[in-house]
């Protein structure tokens, strides 16, 4: 906006030329002026009121833009009144302001302003209103936005036939569902400190129920929506076109959403900063497995305890879980309890540290037999930066054991794992036993630690090559590949960027 105004003020000739082309003035961008005084006084209803900063500039733009469609981006809700009689021209309306300033603005003024938008908006495609949440403070559980949510009245006379993208932040109530053709929905709540500020989750469910064309759904800070009962009048919600679902910064309790929402095949699901009791997150996956169709046929899984994340990919969709203390919520021996364990063909398990000297072994992970008994389709196993001893023991068949664990397993890769407990001999024992049992390993990849502390024995490697087709030492073991489409058209307020491998350290990036 300032660039255009600078060109406008070069000389009289430039101003005359620019006035001839109203399309130059159809994009209006006004930043938030938190340190400026009101510009002037306006007569409103017989009384003088100060104009918010930027008001005169916006009025000038509107006069120069003629009657062309408008794309409006403002950071002060007090400027909204300038567009109240321009609804027929609005193509995009985004009002995003710093969350910490919300309480400084008079919420009743904002609501009163919205009531001015009582005319149809036949061209409107994007409506974005709300507080921009600050980055999450790692020293605190939540970003506290301690304000009451503003109720959004019926706007644009309920007539927005082209509206596809809706983002509401700090608005926890809205009258009716007058957005019938939405494809993108982003709803952000806040932390409730006043019990009277709770909203009924029914409003949120009805918004989804009346959005059959929904493609992308982003929900965060859902504490403001209270789940107090089961709503028998809300039918099952089946958005057949849904391809992205992101839920963040809330408690497992808010996952009551899955009692009504069916997540279809092909959907990518991201769960981030989810609080709750230990194991609750995995119980959600089991309890709602029938509705989480996206998690029904996963083929590849990465469990990275260092970065506290799970990535899973399959033909029916993708799953991303990021939460603190993942090893406590999902210890290795409980991994077999996830709903899609039997379909997994490739698994990556990463430890807490890149260096074996700082590795902290979890005693409850010693017995891994339950996990690998569940992974009946496993073909490739990748162990990174953690002890492999107990894992190899679980994969080693015994004469007294009639069934072979992971009968389809053919590849094992180890990255900085042998030096943790000197398990090269354990690897040989596992390979030899599987060879004798008629289920031999075909490939073993070993990537030693950078400090060279892995125990290497040419004799043991030679014996491994007698029972394994390919044994490679000193190679770079593969990372799980993130599907490229998962990071297309991402936005930090909506869809998170999917990373894998050592991205926590910034040393690796996605391979696609």
């Amino acid at each position: 906006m300032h660039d255009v105004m600078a060109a406008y003020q070069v000389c009289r000739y430039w101003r005359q030329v620019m006035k001839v082309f109203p399309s130059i003035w159809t994009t209006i961008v006004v930043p938030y002026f938190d340190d400026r005084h009101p510009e002037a006084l306006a007569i409103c209803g017989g009384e003088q009121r100060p104009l918010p900063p930027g008001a005169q500039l916006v009025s000038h733009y509107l006069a120069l833009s003629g009657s062309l469609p408008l794309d409006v981006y403002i950071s002060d809700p007090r400027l909204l009144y300038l567009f109240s009689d321009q609804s027929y021209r609005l193509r995009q309306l985004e009002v995003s302001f710093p969350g910490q300033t919300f309480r400084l603005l008079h919420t009743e003024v904002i609501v009163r302003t919205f009531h001015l938008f009582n005319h149809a908006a036949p061209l409107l495609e994007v409506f974005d209103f709300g507080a921009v949440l600050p980055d999450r403070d790692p020293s605190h559980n939540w970003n506290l936005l301690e304000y009451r949510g503003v109720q959004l009245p019926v706007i644009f006379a309920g007539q927005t036939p082209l509206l596809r993208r809706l983002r509401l932040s700090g608005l926890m109530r809205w009258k009716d569902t007058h957005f019938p053709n939405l494809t993108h929905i982003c709803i952000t709540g806040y932390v409730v400190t006043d019990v009277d500020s709770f909203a009924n989750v029914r409003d949120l469910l009805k918004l989804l129920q009346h959005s059959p064309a929904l493609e992308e759904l982003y929900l965060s800070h859902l504490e403001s929506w209270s789940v107090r009962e089961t709503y028998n009048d809300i039918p099952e919600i089946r958005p057949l076109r849904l391809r992205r679902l992101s839920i963040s910064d809330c408690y497992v309790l808010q996952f009551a959403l899955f009692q009504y929402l069916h997540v279809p095949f092909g959907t990518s699901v991201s769960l981030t900063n989810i609080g709750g009791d230990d194991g609750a997150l995995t119980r959600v996956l089991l309890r709602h497995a029938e509705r989480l169709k996206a998690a029904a046929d996963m083929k590849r899984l990465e469990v990275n305890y260092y970065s506290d994340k799970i990535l899973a990919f399959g033909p029916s969709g993708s799953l991303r879980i990021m939460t603190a203390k993942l090893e406590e919520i999902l210890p290795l021996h409980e991994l077999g309890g996830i709903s899609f364990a039997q379909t997994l063909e490739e698994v990556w398990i990463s430890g807490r540290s890149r260096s074996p000297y700082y590795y902290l072994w979890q005693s409850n992970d010693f017995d891994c037999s339950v996990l690998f008994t569940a992974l009946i389709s496993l073909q490739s196993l990748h162990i990174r930066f953690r002890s492999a001893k107990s894992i190899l023991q679980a994969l080693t068949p015994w004469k007294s054991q009639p069934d072979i664990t992971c009968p389809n397993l053919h590849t094992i890769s180890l990255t900085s794992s042998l030096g943790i407990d000197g398990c090269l001999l354990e690897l040989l024992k596992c390979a030899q036993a599987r060879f004798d049992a008629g289920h031999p390993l075909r490939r073993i990849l070993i990537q030693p630690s950078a400090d060279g502390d892995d125990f290497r024995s040419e004799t043991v490697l030679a014996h491994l090559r007698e029972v394994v087709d390919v044994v490679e030492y000193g190679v770079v073991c593969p990372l799980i590949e993130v599907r490229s489409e998962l990071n297309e058209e991402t936005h930090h307020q909506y869809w998170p960027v999917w990373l894998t491998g050592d991205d926590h350290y910034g040393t690796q990036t996605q391979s696609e």
Side-chain angles (χ1 to χ4, degrees), residues 136 141-142 247-251 271-275 322-324:
R136 189 169 184 265
N141 288 335
W142 307 105
I247 301 178
S248 67
D249 295 281
C250 61
Y251 290 96
L271 311 175
T272 308
N273 296 337
I274 307 300
M322 292 196 69
T323 184

Side-chain angles (χ1 to χ4, degrees), residues 453-475:
D453 283 335
D454 288 4
F455 174 70
R456 175 172 180 174
S457 169
E458 293 297 339
T459 302
V460 174
L461 290 175
H463 287 313
L464 276 173
R465 291 187 175 100
E466 293 176 359
V467 295
V468 180
D469 294 340
V470 177
V471 178
E472 298 182 71
Y473 189 95
V475 298

Side-chain angles (χ1 to χ4, degrees), residues 334-350:
E334 291 186 2
L335 190 60
I338 60 179
S339 57
F340 49 88
Q342 294 185 351
T343 66
L344 291 173
E345 296 177 354
E346 290 187 82
V347 173
W348 280 256
I349 301 174
S350 298

Side-chain angles (χ1 to χ4, degrees), residues 298-335:
M298 296 296 182
K299 301 297 184 184
R300 307 159 74 210
L301 173 73
E302 178 193 40
V303 183
N304 193 327
Y305 289 115
Y306 193 92
S307 57
D308 294 318
K309 69 180 179 184
I310 294 175
L311 299 180
F313 306 103
S316 63
S318 305
L319 175 68
R320 174 184 186 267
I321 299 174
M322 292 196 69
T323 184
K325 301 180 180 178
L326 180 61
E327 191 137 17
E328 297 178 11
I329 296 176
L330 186 60
L332 188 57
H333 70 280
E334 291 186 2
L335 190 60

Side-chain angles (χ1 to χ4, degrees), residues 237-401:
I237 304 170
R238 297 178 179 271
L240 299 180
R241 301 181 185 178
L242 186 67
R243 60 188 180 90
R244 280 179 173 175
L245 169 63
S246 175
I247 301 178
S248 67
D249 295 281
C250 61
Y251 290 96
V252 172
L253 178 63
Q254 273 84 48
F255 279 40
L257 172 73
F258 289 133
Q259 295 178 16
Y260 308 91
L261 178 64
H262 283 254
V263 182
F265 288 101
T267 306
S268 296
V269 179
S270 176
L271 311 175
T272 308
N273 296 337
I274 307 300
D277 58 297
D278 292 351
L281 197 54
T282 52
R283 289 200 298 273
V284 166
L285 296 179
L286 287 173
R287 184 182 307 132
H288 302 296
E290 175 60 27
R291 290 178 173 83
L292 282 169
K293 300 291 187 182
D297 194 21
M298 296 296 182
K299 301 297 184 184
R300 307 159 74 210
L301 173 73
E302 178 193 40
V303 183
N304 193 327
Y305 289 115
Y306 193 92
S307 57
D308 294 318
K309 69 180 179 184
I310 294 175
L311 299 180
F313 306 103
S316 63
S318 305
L319 175 68
R320 174 184 186 267
I321 299 174
M322 292 196 69
T323 184
K325 301 180 180 178
L326 180 61
E327 191 137 17
E328 297 178 11
I329 296 176
L330 186 60
L332 188 57
H333 70 280
E334 291 186 2
L335 190 60
I338 60 179
S339 57
F340 49 88
Q342 294 185 351
T343 66
L344 291 173
E345 296 177 354
E346 290 187 82
V347 173
W348 280 256
I349 301 174
S350 298
R352 278 278 173 190
S353 175
R354 300 181 65 191
S355 171
Y357 293 118
Y358 299 100
Y359 182 77
L360 298 178
W361 183 246
Q362 298 286 336
S363 60
N364 59 0
D365 276 349
F366 275 130
D367 185 5
C368 300
S369 57
V370 176
L371 161 63
F372 289 101
T373 300
L375 301 179
I376 59 176
S377 301
L378 185 66
Q379 299 178 14
S380 300
L381 175 64
H382 310 268
I383 306 169
R384 303 172 56 79
F385 312 129
R386 70 175 301 139
S387 172
K389 189 171 184 178
S390 63
I391 296 176
L392 293 172
Q393 289 174 347
L395 295 172
T396 302
W398 305 94
K399 293 181 180 180
S400 59
Q401 181 180 338

Side-chain angles (χ1 to χ4, degrees), residues 206-218:
K206 283 191 173 182
L207 178 63
L208 301 181
Q209 178 188 348
H210 290 85
S211 302
L214 187 62
E215 297 177 7
E216 301 191 14
L217 173 62
Y218 315 107

Side-chain angles (χ1 to χ4, degrees), residues 48-244:
Q48 287 188 331
R49 294 182 182 177
L51 293 176
Q56 292 180 338
L57 200 57
V58 170
S59 299
H60 188 56
Y61 257 55
L62 288 174
L64 292 173
S65 62
S67 59
L68 295 180
L70 295 173
D71 296 323
V72 179
Y73 309 85
I74 59 177
S75 298
D76 192 332
R78 293 172 297 181
L79 293 173
L80 275 172
Y81 79 95
L82 294 170
F83 303 94
S84 60
D85 60 348
Q86 305 290 324
S87 295
Y88 68 97
R89 300 173 58 195
L90 291 174
R91 181 170 52 195
Q92 187 158 320
L93 177 59
E94 296 191 19
V95 187
S96 299
F97 47 91
Q100 59 269 27
T101 68
F102 191 85
R103 283 178 295 175
L104 302 179
L105 303 174
H106 296 293
T107 56
E108 64 273 13
V109 173
I110 297 175
V111 174
R112 189 164 59 244
T113 301
F114 272 128
H115 278 295
L116 297 177
F117 288 85
N118 52 13
H119 301 290
L123 304 180
L124 189 64
E125 299 174 6
V126 177
F127 177 56
D128 181 331
F129 178 87
V132 177
L133 299 181
D135 292 336
R136 189 169 184 265
D137 185 355
S139 64
H140 199 284
N141 288 335
W142 307 105
N143 286 317
L144 292 178
L145 293 180
E146 301 176 5
Y147 53 78
R148 291 173 179 264
V150 177
Q151 177 170 307
L152 180 68
V154 174
I155 56 176
F156 309 119
Q159 300 179 39
T160 53
L162 298 184
L163 185 64
R164 298 292 182 265
R165 296 174 181 258
L166 172 71
R167 186 180 80 91
L168 300 177
S169 178
L171 298 169
M172 55 186 286
R173 298 183 177 93
W174 42 82
K175 289 185 177 180
D176 302 324
T177 52
H178 50 285
F179 307 113
N181 301 310
L182 296 177
T183 59
H184 294 65
I185 296 177
C186 176
I187 302 293
T188 302
Y190 55 90
V191 175
V192 175
T193 57
D194 184 347
V195 67
D196 294 330
S197 295
F198 276 112
N200 196 312
V201 75
R202 184 196 303 270
D203 293 337
L204 183 58
L205 292 173
K206 283 191 173 182
L207 178 63
L208 301 181
Q209 178 188 348
H210 290 85
S211 302
L214 187 62
E215 297 177 7
E216 301 191 14
L217 173 62
Y218 315 107
L219 304 172
S220 65
H221 296 79
L222 297 180
E223 186 180 347
S224 47
W225 283 275
S226 174
V227 183
R228 300 178 180 177
E229 58 182 306
T230 300
Y231 305 106
N232 297 324
D233 61 327
I234 302 293
E236 292 185 340
I237 304 170
R238 297 178 179 271
L240 299 180
R241 301 181 185 178
L242 186 67
R243 60 188 180 90
R244 280 179 173 175

